[in-house]
Amino acid sequence: MARPRQYATDAAKQASYRRRLAATTVVVDRVALDRLHQQLETLQGVISEAARRGDPLARQCAAASVETMLDKLAVVFKSR
């Protein structure tokens, strides 16, 4: 015996999917997002360069990923 259908119609199934998708996603401006990524990469680069030159703050915040670098920056400034 087959299990009962969860949705009465394909349209109801699609509507449910769209509601779930809307609850977990946002629409962003691609140009603004690309600009933000570029700014974060620039920040990571200058922090890495400063760390290589011996800057103590930069050494605390240098990281391989932008996410880790931002986390480290937040920790440093929260502790001050």
Side-chain angles (χ1 to χ4, degrees):
M1 183 164 145
R3 68 181 177 92
R5 289 180 58 118
Q6 184 173 358
Y7 302 98
T9 65
D10 287 341
K13 183 177 182 179
Q14 183 67 23
S16 178
Y17 167 75
R18 289 186 188 277
R19 280 191 301 277
R20 288 191 313 275
L21 186 63
T24 60
T25 59
V26 296
V27 176
V28 297
D29 176 3
R30 171 58 66 183
V31 173
L33 180 63
D34 289 343
R35 186 172 49 245
L36 178 60
H37 283 160
Q38 183 58 47
Q39 289 172 316
L40 288 169
E41 289 174 10
T42 300
L43 177 61
Q44 185 179 28
V46 297
I47 288 176
S48 294
E49 181 58 33
R52 279 192 289 280
R53 289 192 315 259
D55 183 279
L57 177 60
R59 285 187 174 183
Q60 283 182 284
C61 299
S65 75
V66 172
E67 293 84 1
T68 303
M69 177 201 61
L70 291 172
D71 288 341
K72 287 181 174 185
L73 276 168
V75 166
V76 166
F77 285 102
K78 280 181 185 176
S79 68
R80 289 182 174 208

